[in-house]
Amino acid sequence: MKKTFLLVISLLLILVMTGCNKKESIVIYSAMEEERNQALKEQIKEKFPDLNIVVQQMATGNIAAKIENEKENIEADIVLGLETSHMENLKDYFADLSDYDTDMYLDGMITSNKYFLWEKSSTNLIIDNKYFKEHKLDVPKTYEDLLKKEYKNLIAMPDPTTSGTGYAFYLNVVNIMGEKDALAYFKKLKNNLREFTTSGSGPTNLLKQGEIAIAMGMTSQGAKDINDGYDFKIITLKTGAPYNTCSSGIIKGKENKENLKEVFEWLIDEANRYDKENFMPDVILKDQNNKVENFPTDLKMADMKGIDDNKLKEELTEKWSSEING
Amino acid sequence: MVSLEVKNLSKTYNKKTVLNNISFIVNDGEFLSILGPSGCGKTTLLKILIGIETCDSGKIIKDGVEINKLDPSKRNMGIVFQNYALFPNMTVLNNVMYALNIKLKNKKQAKEKSLEILKMLNMEEHINKHPRELSGGQMQRVAIARTLALNPDIILFDEALSALDADNKLILKKELKEIQKKFNTTMIFITHDQEEAFSLSDRVMIMKDGNIEQIDTPHKIFNNPASDYVKSFVKDHLIEKVRSIEKCTGIDL
Amino acid sequence: MARRSKLNIFIFIFLLISVVFPLINMVLQIDFSNNSFQNLIISGAFKEAMFNSLFVTIIGTVISVLLAFFVSFTLNRTNIKHRAVLKLLITLPMLIPSISHGLGLINLFGANGIISRIFDFNIIGSVGIIIGSVIYSFPIAFLMIDDGYNYIDNNLYDTAEILGLNKWQTFRKVTLCYLRKPLLSSFFAVFTMIFTDYGVPLAVGGKFITLPVLLYKEVIGLLNYSKGTMIGLFLLIPALISFLFDTFFKDYTISDGNSKKYVVKANKLRDIITNIGVYLIIIFITILLGSFIYYAFVNNVVLNNTFSLIHFNYVINNGIDSYIFNSLFISVLVAIFGTIISYFTAYVTARVNNKFVKILHLLTICTLAVPGIVLGLSYTISFNGTFIYNTFIILILVNIIHFIATPYLMAYNALQKVNPNYEVVAKTCNISLFKIIKDVIIPCTKKTIREMLSYFFVNSMITISAVTFLFNTRTMPLSLLINNYEGNMMLGEAAIISLIILIFNVIVKGVIYLINRREHRMECMYGTN
């Protein structure tokens, strides 16, 4: 009996120790897609070869939940690309960034001293061109068009309650039609579409698998897919392209960590620029030089009034949750 | 010399009186059967005697010492079950040796004694077999051997022969009597089977609804049943059966 | 007695801390003001989800248990060959995360699926959920029923024959009698499993929303713990019913494991029908898994159908070794400690019968109905800031609690059938309780113990729900990588990870199979009476 007891104790000790192994490292929680994170990791290796920087990908909702839960105990030091409405809601847990230089941004992009804009992601319809040609379908031009019978089960939209991309569409329709009519519209749309996906990249994923023909998704992803060889087309509705924003910040209490200031400065400057020019061409920086082919220039932006209003978001998503339930 | 004395034992379960102030004596080296239908309280009595159940009131006195509060392991009583309760993962020899080894703390001695007892019960050919390879009768012998190995003063049998077929029952009954004579162990035999009780016992205790109807030798019960209920145990053909058993086994009942 | 009550108390305290405390904490999240509970119940969304959940769960459970019974009957009562191999194949679906099943189903039966294209239909929606749910749940029901066959007293078949009972009567009076408890236990276990799973509905449900998916969206999307927990309360109902049933349904069958082996009688027709049935099921499972191996080694499913190691290389170059270590470390410790805890808890509840142990039984079974994600969240809320947080300990603990119910029930069923007189023998012979457990009771149930170990290990390897909030960069297991890759449409990489998990699980199950086979051979060598 004694032997087993000792064994158990030593195991427990190992467990505790392994978990608490504190190599001095900087942890970044990133809500970006894997490909963008991968590029970021490679740049970090080049720029900071001696530092131990960990980039952990996590869905936007997960990051927000973790911050709300763990508060300052969270292991993350920097949060990258979290939906701005979440950032605004959780800003008390973020450090003050007044000392950082924000010259590289276009005017009006910085709206808070607790977080900086990371991306403005426009959304559009991305259609399977091959499928449309084969089935001789008309290209949808308005939200109402999406209710047509010929598109039944061929459409997917991200769920506004879990995805910022989805919320962008939702808010836009609310701004166009008014809340009551918007909800009625989406009830009808629910009958016509295949599903509301949990993640923002869900619809474009389904499109790539050939499961649907119309994805309501991120313009940048559509462009990337076209560049990868898929026969897709980006369609902007008459009412313009809805958009959502994501931001980055430093968790309160971590701002004085060794090397952190240097890393964050680099992130919002060089890394930011690289990411925007190569993956997310919606313009937020001065002299942004977009390298993504097939990304539509001069996009007409839709009416996104209230996109950063977290209270409004809570109300609208609550209504969605009760009445639409995608 | 008195081996076991039960005084004014009572037990109630869920408002039902299972044992109603019963008293009796078991003599040293005696074979006593406790006979009665299910629900008469005999199983409860067994549990109380062996120590896995407590009584509400009364005393159990063994060799002059009150053992009510004594741990089962200290009462020096053994028990043999209807379903044998042999350890299926051990050989016959190890089944018998197991408890003995713990008691003696000497493997060699334990082995020797176990072999000796198994030989006495005609099981030496089977010592390396596992219980699943044995017949019912063989398993019961091993169960008895396991108990005997620990030299108990009293062995309790809980419907121990009920699971056996007629032939095996007969053989084992004969062996039980032989063991009793050889070891001079007191045996208390719980059963609902009249034949078993009357053919094996020095005395029989008939129970009904928590009460002792009569406790006496089989012959006396035949000739002087204490109540109508006891009378029902005494039937003409039973006497004949007892006589035929006497003939087959050569035991004088 | 002292030893046993110490054990009782220890288990009780453990369950209090690891099950009751976090759950109560979660319930305290509910905002009872503003009629929020009433609003939830009357909302269209909730009613729809509730109806949907009941619909797919009832149908899925019936199909699942029937399938499981059919397969275990075939494996135990017909002359089918290569039983152990078939058993391994039948349980393959249990060895990969549910999200992988979702991928496989979409690949075969989605709108653009390989098989759908031929037959012009797709299973997105309720049909997909039912199929997916049956695939991952029926192997578990199968294991429970199959385990029940181990403890049937086969001598009774001879008795039945002597008494002149025909096959159907024998089946009813002997087999069903012993299997009644495992059958019904598995019915409730499967029901609860399907009712509370979000993985399959998320992948193939389309707009057919079920309660767990609704909860997932409330918690992940809206961070609405209050609403999420309220929905979670409904998900606890099956467990309560399960418990009530278990309490009132007594099992009177006891065996001492000494009964002889069952001899299968010859019956060609029966064999042909049942064997074909089982092989069809296995073929289906194989195609499903195969479609997903296809994803792993094909460059791009839509654009470029050539063989490629591109996904494999990507995975290898991204720190796969530490993820593998994490998963293995967690799963092994979960298996060891989980088995010990559930076995001893089952010992206490199966061999004693009083009000206190009924509470232990309820607590343990309750865990089956707590969706992994709710459990994980309750742990995040309750243990935030404690020393176990952000370590492997909390991951191990949450996995043990998440999966404890099934192994516990396996042990419970097995221990109830072990001869109750061993303890009496021990008491009268002055053998300590732990010694008799170690020397007799554990060896009697070692087959069940092996199944428990492998159940804990395998499920720890594949789980994504409970751990999703509790991991950090140092402790992240393999399974969560799949979520990352799938969300990014890196299906090839997700498939590779699924394969790695599958391989480890197959190894563990294979080892147990070999041990069982060796044991079986040794028993046969001695022959029967």
Side-chain angles (χ1 to χ4, degrees):
Chain A
M1 260 334 231
K2 266 206 178 139
K3 270 195 197 159
T4 3
F5 193 64
L6 284 170
L7 188 64
V8 170
I9 294 288
S10 37
L11 265 175
L12 280 173
L13 280 173
I14 299 174
L15 278 177
V16 178
M17 282 176 352
T18 339
C20 290
N21 181 14
K22 288 238 176 267
K23 249 192 302 183
E24 209 33 63
S25 59
I26 295 176
V27 179
I28 303 175
Y29 277 0
S30 162
M32 297 198 294
E33 298 80 51
E34 185 64 19
E35 209 192 14
R36 291 161 71 190
N37 283 329
Q38 190 65 12
L40 182 66
K41 283 184 210 172
E42 275 160 31
Q43 291 171 68
I44 287 176
K45 253 192 228 156
E46 251 191 73
K47 178 82 184 179
F48 300 104
D50 298 323
L51 293 182
N52 182 19
I53 301 177
V54 180
V55 178
Q56 178 62 56
Q57 195 213 18
M58 221 181 271
T60 228
N62 276 28
I63 297 181
K66 256 195 167 216
I67 296 174
E68 187 150 341
N69 243 319
E70 297 175 29
K71 308 186 199 329
E72 281 129 34
N73 288 325
I74 199 170
E75 63 162 346
D77 303 304
I78 297 173
V79 170
L80 202 67
L82 182 65
E83 220 179 314
T84 307
S85 54
H86 281 313
M87 286 302 261
E88 178 60 31
N89 193 29
L90 298 166
K91 66 179 179 207
D92 289 336
Y93 302 117
F94 284 95
D96 188 59
L97 301 174
S98 313
D99 287 338
Y100 286 87
D101 176 27
T102 57
D103 246 5
M104 66 291 277
Y105 283 95
L106 285 174
D107 291 330
M109 294 288 137
I110 302 297
T111 53
S112 167
N113 62 338
K114 286 301 189 76
Y115 51 84
F116 292 155
L117 189 66
W118 178 253
E119 74 191 38
K120 187 167 136 184
S121 175
S122 64
T123 63
N124 273 305
L125 299 184
I126 304 147
I127 64 167
D128 187 335
N129 204 23
K130 187 161 163 233
Y131 186 92
F132 266 68
K133 282 203 204 117
E134 273 171 21
H135 292 79
K136 297 196 173 63
L137 295 174
D138 288 326
V139 172
K141 297 254 165 49
T142 65
Y143 284 114
E144 281 77 12
D145 282 346
L146 290 175
L147 298 176
K148 284 192 193 158
K149 281 212 185 80
E150 63 211 54
Y151 303 134
K152 186 145 178 101
N153 281 333
L154 293 176
I155 310 173
M157 174 180 148
D159 187 324
T161 63
T162 53
S163 153
T165 311
Y167 181 70
F169 280 108
Y170 179 34
L171 181 62
N172 182 219
V173 173
V174 166
N175 283 342
I176 295 172
M177 299 186 196
E179 200 178 289
K180 191 158 156 237
D181 287 342
L183 286 168
Y185 167 77
F186 280 110
K187 278 203 190 118
K188 286 192 213 141
L189 182 65
K190 180 180 174 181
N191 276 332
N192 211 29
L193 60 50
R194 145 100 169 227
E195 67 184 274
F196 292 107
T197 65
T198 314
S199 70
S201 48
T204 39
N205 292 347
L206 288 169
L207 194 73
K208 287 203 283 197
Q209 280 174 279
E211 293 284 320
I212 55 171
I214 304 174
M216 297 165 75
M218 288 189 254
T219 319
S220 56
Q221 272 186 308
K224 178 176 177 300
D225 295 337
I226 295 172
N227 294 337
D228 282 342
Y230 290 93
D231 187 5
F232 295 162
K233 236 174 163 179
I234 297 173
I235 307 289
T236 307
L237 292 172
K238 281 195 183 142
T239 43
Y243 62 87
N244 205 335
T245 66
C246 296
S247 302
S248 304
I250 302 175
I251 299 285
K252 191 152 100 177
K254 314 279 182 110
E255 58 267 42
N256 293 316
K257 210 172 182 184
E258 198 181 334
N259 296 312
L260 192 104
K261 195 158 191 273
E262 202 189 329
V263 172
F264 193 73
E265 267 168 2
W266 171 79
L267 273 175
I268 57 171
D269 192 359
E270 286 169 44
N272 197 355
R273 187 167 291 276
Y274 184 89
D275 180 67
K276 301 296 139 336
E277 292 182 352
N278 288 287
F279 294 105
M280 194 54 86
D282 296 284
V283 182
I284 62 170
L285 299 172
K286 288 177 184 158
D287 304 318
Q288 202 171 312
N289 183 15
N290 290 334
K291 302 193 176 107
V292 180
E293 285 172 33
N294 285 307
F295 193 89
T297 46
D298 299 321
L299 267 178
K300 176 186 173 190
M301 291 316 205
D303 179 4
M304 296 309 297
K305 190 169 77 188
I307 185 69
D308 289 336
D309 181 349
N310 192 58
K311 265 230 138 16
L312 176 66
K313 180 169 181 179
E314 271 178 37
E315 271 174 43
L316 286 178
T317 46
E318 186 61 44
K319 292 230 169 72
W320 178 284
S321 187
S322 308
E323 299 188 35
I324 313 292
N325 179 27
Chain B
M1 198 173 80
V2 171
S3 183
L4 190 71
E5 183 180 352
V6 171
K7 267 189 180 164
N8 306 109
L9 205 66
S10 290
K11 176 81 182 176
T12 313
Y13 257 151
N14 294 334
K15 295 186 187 157
K16 184 182 170 213
T17 308
V18 181
L19 292 173
N20 189 12
N21 199 23
I22 59 170
S23 303
F24 63 95
I25 290 172
V26 184
N27 297 312
D28 188 30
E30 174 177 34
F31 196 114
L32 172 77
S33 284
I34 301 179
L35 174 66
S38 28
C40 71
K42 56 189 196 296
T43 312
T44 312
L45 177 59
L46 178 131
K47 286 186 184 168
I48 294 174
L49 287 177
I50 200 144
I52 59 176
E53 197 67 74
T54 52
C55 57
D56 294 336
S57 63
K59 289 192 192 152
I60 309 167
I61 303 168
K62 179 170 171 276
D63 291 333
V65 177
E66 189 179 317
I67 61 166
N68 286 38
K69 299 245 165 79
L70 202 59
D71 198 69
S73 56
K74 298 203 165 60
R75 298 191 187 197
N76 206 20
M77 293 191 203
I79 181 162
V80 176
F81 300 98
Q82 179 184 31
N83 55 26
Y84 325 123
L86 292 182
F87 306 138
N89 55 310
M90 298 185 195
T91 59
V92 163
L93 181 59
N94 284 334
N95 256 285
V96 178
M97 259 178 71
Y98 182 64
L100 189 57
N101 194 16
I102 295 172
K103 180 178 173 186
L104 295 178
K105 295 188 174 51
N106 182 328
K107 201 166 178 187
K108 193 170 166 219
Q109 272 185 355
K111 190 171 178 183
E112 272 172 25
K113 178 132 194 234
S114 306
L115 282 169
E116 195 187 308
I117 293 185
L118 283 166
K119 196 168 174 191
M120 268 190 245
L121 287 164
N122 301 318
M123 286 295 290
E124 67 260 39
E125 287 165 17
H126 308 284
I127 55 172
N128 287 321
K129 287 195 184 157
H130 284 84
R132 62 176 169 269
E133 300 166 70
L134 305 175
S135 71
Q138 289 168 332
M139 284 201 271
Q140 199 55 292
R141 283 200 199 91
V142 178
I144 296 170
R146 179 173 65 182
T147 315
L148 279 175
L150 295 169
N151 265 339
D153 299 322
I154 304 174
I155 303 182
L156 295 135
F157 291 84
D158 187 9
E159 309 266 8
L161 301 182
S162 305
L164 299 175
D165 60 68
D167 285 337
N168 268 312
K169 232 188 245 197
L170 217 53
I171 298 171
L172 242 87
K173 277 198 256 183
K174 180 180 174 190
E175 286 180 4
L176 266 180
K177 290 300 275 184
E178 283 174 4
I179 293 168
Q180 197 208 359
K181 281 204 187 108
K182 214 177 265 178
F183 288 87
N184 202 30
T185 321
T186 310
M187 292 186 181
I188 301 178
F189 194 84
I190 314 277
T191 181
H192 61 273
D193 184 320
Q194 304 129 310
E195 279 193 56
E196 279 174 22
F198 282 91
S199 59
L200 286 170
S201 324
D202 297 320
R203 287 191 303 156
V204 176
M205 180 168 108
I206 299 177
M207 285 186 73
K208 181 192 177 217
D209 295 331
N211 293 306
I212 301 176
E213 294 287 316
Q214 189 171 6
I215 174 166
D216 224 328
T217 65
H219 277 168
K220 288 203 183 131
I221 292 178
F222 285 146
N223 297 325
N224 294 315
S227 68
D228 288 331
Y229 181 74
V230 175
K231 254 198 202 150
S232 70
F233 276 94
V234 178
K235 286 172 183 157
D236 286 355
H237 71 269
L238 191 61
I239 304 172
E240 278 185 44
K241 281 204 176 163
V242 169
R243 298 244 165 87
S244 65
I245 291 170
E246 277 180 298
K247 265 195 214 150
C248 290
T249 62
I251 300 174
D252 183 5
L253 298 164
Chain C
M1 261 315 182
R3 263 287 166 86
R4 205 184 269 188
S5 32
K6 266 194 213 156
L7 188 62
N8 283 12
I9 294 179
F10 177 74
I11 294 173
F12 183 63
I13 293 179
F14 172 76
L15 288 174
L16 270 183
I17 298 176
S18 56
V19 180
V20 178
F21 164 64
L23 287 180
I24 292 188
N25 234 343
M26 266 251 80
V27 174
L28 291 175
Q29 296 295 314
I30 301 179
D31 177 18
F32 280 111
S33 60
N34 305 326
N35 285 328
S36 44
F37 196 74
Q38 287 90 313
N39 287 344
L40 173 73
I41 312 247
I42 61 174
S43 72
F46 180 82
K47 284 195 264 191
E48 186 185 336
M50 174 61 102
F51 174 80
N52 289 352
S53 275
L54 286 173
F55 180 77
V56 295
T57 308
I58 292 174
I59 296 180
T61 306
V62 170
I63 297 176
S64 189
V65 175
L66 283 176
L67 256 184
F69 182 71
F70 169 72
V71 175
S72 53
F73 170 81
T74 309
L75 258 60
N76 281 287
R77 293 287 184 263
T78 70
N79 277 315
I80 197 164
K81 300 214 171 45
H82 313 298
R83 261 171 221 153
V85 176
L86 289 178
K87 193 165 156 178
L88 187 70
L89 289 174
I90 291 285
T91 53
L92 273 181
M94 286 172 63
L95 305 184
I96 52 172
S98 58
I99 204 168
S100 309
H101 288 301
L103 292 180
L105 278 181
I106 292 180
N107 192 40
L108 288 178
F109 299 111
N112 198 34
I114 300 170
I115 297 186
S116 312
R117 270 182 271 177
I118 304 173
F119 295 111
D120 193 31
F121 76 98
N122 79 64
I123 52 119
I124 303 300
S126 57
V127 177
I129 298 178
I130 292 174
I131 297 178
S133 303
V134 168
I135 294 173
Y136 78 73
S137 67
F138 103 89
I140 298 171
F142 160 74
L143 284 179
M144 291 172 83
I145 300 171
D146 183 67
D147 193 59
Y149 271 102
N150 283 336
Y151 294 96
I152 298 181
D153 186 350
N154 293 318
N155 290 315
L156 288 176
Y157 289 108
D158 290 340
T159 315
E161 201 177 328
I162 294 169
L163 288 173
L165 298 179
N166 68 32
K167 275 196 215 124
W168 173 244
Q169 285 170 316
T170 311
F171 177 73
R172 255 181 56 221
K173 292 210 182 293
V174 182
T175 316
L176 265 192
C177 184
Y178 275 88
L179 289 184
R180 211 170 14 189
K181 194 99 199 262
L183 267 173
L184 287 164
S185 291
S186 66
F187 182 88
F188 283 111
V190 169
F191 185 94
T192 311
M193 221 182 289
I194 299 181
F195 195 69
T196 60
D197 168 62
Y198 81 86
V200 166
L202 201 63
V204 300
K207 22 176 210 202
F208 193 90
I209 301 296
T210 57
L211 278 180
V213 174
L214 191 64
L215 187 158
Y216 179 83
K217 290 181 187 242
E218 288 298 325
V219 173
I220 294 284
L222 295 177
L223 304 179
N224 192 338
Y225 301 154
S226 171
K227 203 164 173 192
T229 311
M230 283 195 278
I231 300 172
L233 286 179
F234 281 94
L235 295 174
L236 284 169
I237 293 177
L240 284 172
I241 299 178
S242 180
F243 166 72
L244 286 171
F245 167 77
D246 250 7
T247 318
F248 291 118
F249 186 89
K250 298 283 176 232
D251 190 8
Y252 292 107
T253 55
I254 294 170
S255 100
D256 55 8
N258 287 328
S259 66
K260 59 179 203 188
K261 232 184 119 217
Y262 182 86
V263 173
V264 180
K265 297 206 183 70
N267 182 337
K268 271 242 158 90
L269 183 64
R270 172 203 67 196
D271 283 3
I272 292 176
I273 297 177
T274 54
N275 289 11
I276 290 180
V278 168
Y279 277 107
L280 277 177
I281 295 173
I282 290 178
I283 290 173
F284 181 78
I285 293 173
T286 316
I287 294 178
L288 204 62
L289 292 175
S291 75
F292 128 95
I293 295 177
Y294 176 69
Y295 266 94
F297 292 109
V298 153
N299 193 315
N300 183 307
V301 177
V302 170
L303 286 184
N304 180 359
N305 265 8
T306 57
F307 177 84
S308 159
L309 285 177
I310 188 173
H311 308 298
F312 185 75
N313 289 332
Y314 183 91
V315 160
I316 298 287
N317 291 330
N318 269 287
I320 194 73
D321 49 347
S322 52
Y323 296 122
I324 291 181
F325 171 79
N326 291 350
S327 274
L328 288 178
F329 187 67
I330 294 169
S331 303
V332 166
L333 288 177
V334 167
I336 296 174
F337 288 112
T339 303
I340 293 174
I341 294 171
S342 51
Y343 188 85
F344 280 100
T345 309
Y347 179 81
V348 161
T349 58
R351 316 272 295 169
V352 178
N353 198 5
N354 62 45
K355 292 199 182 105
F356 182 69
V357 303
K358 284 205 170 70
I359 297 175
L360 289 184
H361 186 80
L362 165 69
L363 278 180
T364 317
I365 294 188
C366 250
T367 58
L368 193 58
V370 183
I373 200 172
V374 169
L375 192 66
L377 200 61
S378 73
Y379 269 48
T380 319
I381 295 171
S382 310
F383 297 117
N384 189 3
T386 62
F387 78 98
I388 63 169
Y389 203 70
N390 271 336
T391 64
F392 283 111
I393 299 180
I394 199 170
L395 289 173
I396 292 169
L397 186 64
V398 83
N399 277 340
I400 290 177
I401 298 300
H402 188 199
F403 301 121
I404 198 171
T406 302
Y408 164 79
L409 283 173
M410 283 182 198
Y412 181 78
N413 281 331
L415 285 167
Q416 272 194 327
K417 295 195 193 306
V418 173
N419 196 318
N421 290 322
Y422 293 141
E423 279 91 339
V424 179
V425 172
K427 278 202 193 121
T428 53
C429 298
N430 199 22
I431 303 170
S432 78
L433 188 64
F434 277 117
K435 201 153 187 347
I436 200 90
I437 294 177
K438 173 176 144 270
D439 291 332
V440 180
I441 298 182
I442 288 180
C444 278
T445 52
K446 56 186 174 201
K447 210 162 179 204
T448 307
I449 291 177
R450 280 181 221 131
E451 294 299 338
M452 291 163 71
L453 282 167
S454 91
Y455 183 89
F456 272 116
F457 179 87
V458 163
N459 279 290
S460 291
M461 289 294 286
I462 70 177
T463 186
I464 52 175
S465 52
V467 296
T468 211
F469 286 117
L470 297 171
F471 76 95
N472 65 18
T473 51
R474 271 174 294 270
T475 57
M476 179 153 128
L478 271 177
S479 45
L480 288 174
L481 265 185
I482 301 184
N483 269 28
N484 276 7
Y485 287 141
E486 197 265 343
N488 285 286
M489 191 44 185
M490 296 171 83
L491 291 178
E493 283 75 5
I496 299 270
I497 303 291
S498 307
L499 282 173
I500 294 177
I501 294 177
L502 177 67
I503 289 171
F504 279 117
N505 285 338
V506 166
I507 290 175
V508 165
K509 295 221 93 163
V511 164
I512 295 204
Y513 156 67
L514 287 173
I515 296 176
N516 280 344
R517 193 172 74 162
R518 191 164 142 259
E519 203 176 80
H520 182 74
R521 289 238 173 98
M522 281 172 67
E523 275 178 23
C524 284
M525 258 163 41
Y526 286 119
T528 48
N529 188 35

